[in-house]
Amino acid sequence: MGTAFHGAAVITLDAKGRVAIPTRHRSALLDAGKSLVVTAHPDGCVLIYPAAEWEPVRARVEAFPSFHPQASWWEGLLLGVEEHIGPERSGRILLPSALRVHAKLERDAMMVGQGRYFELWDSGVWGAKLGQALAGPTAPPPGMEDFSL
């Protein structure tokens, strides 16, 4: 496994829909290749992958059962809006308008490291989802009963 992306950064979209990749992650994010893959997540955020890290995920998505309505929807979303983009010299990337609409991205956003990739959330949506998660049950989800911090 390559570099792991951790931490959260508050970032701002400019008027054209560009975001700057945080300096501390820029070289690692781009070391895997000169292009990034951005796509929509069903939960309402944008996923940002180094192209090499996206390919195994893409292969799994392409293997989803085609006659299962939910799987078909996820495949259509993940692959249907997938874009391969290259950063500008300054480290900014232009987010396609379809992805900005999907994630309700207008100005302030949270870029949250998820190990092999980043999630990009509208700040308001991120705050609401975080509040819901913290107000929910304190028991771990199924399969994590033995997890401890």
Side-chain angles (χ1 to χ4, degrees), residues 22-45:
T23 306
R24 68 184 176 135
H25 296 297
R26 195 172 295 159
S27 64
L29 191 58
L30 298 172
D31 277 350
K34 294 299 179 198
S35 73
L36 300 173
V37 175
V38 291
T39 193
H41 188 286
D43 284 344
C45 68

Side-chain angles (χ1 to χ4, degrees), residues 80-138:
V81 297
E82 171 188 331
E83 295 277 345
H84 293 250
I85 58 175
E88 297 174 350
R89 204 172 288 165
S90 63
R92 293 182 303 185
I93 58 171
L94 174 62
L95 294 172
S97 61
L99 286 173
R100 293 194 312 266
V101 168
H102 167 77
K104 298 178 176 76
L105 292 167
E106 292 181 12
R107 181 147 174 83
D108 297 324
M110 289 292 296
M111 189 170 173
V112 183
Q114 298 295 312
R116 295 175 296 117
Y117 64 96
F118 285 97
E119 292 179 349
L120 185 62
W121 292 89
D122 169 79
S123 288
V125 173
W126 171 259
K129 286 194 175 276
L130 182 60
Q132 288 172 349
L134 294 175
T138 57

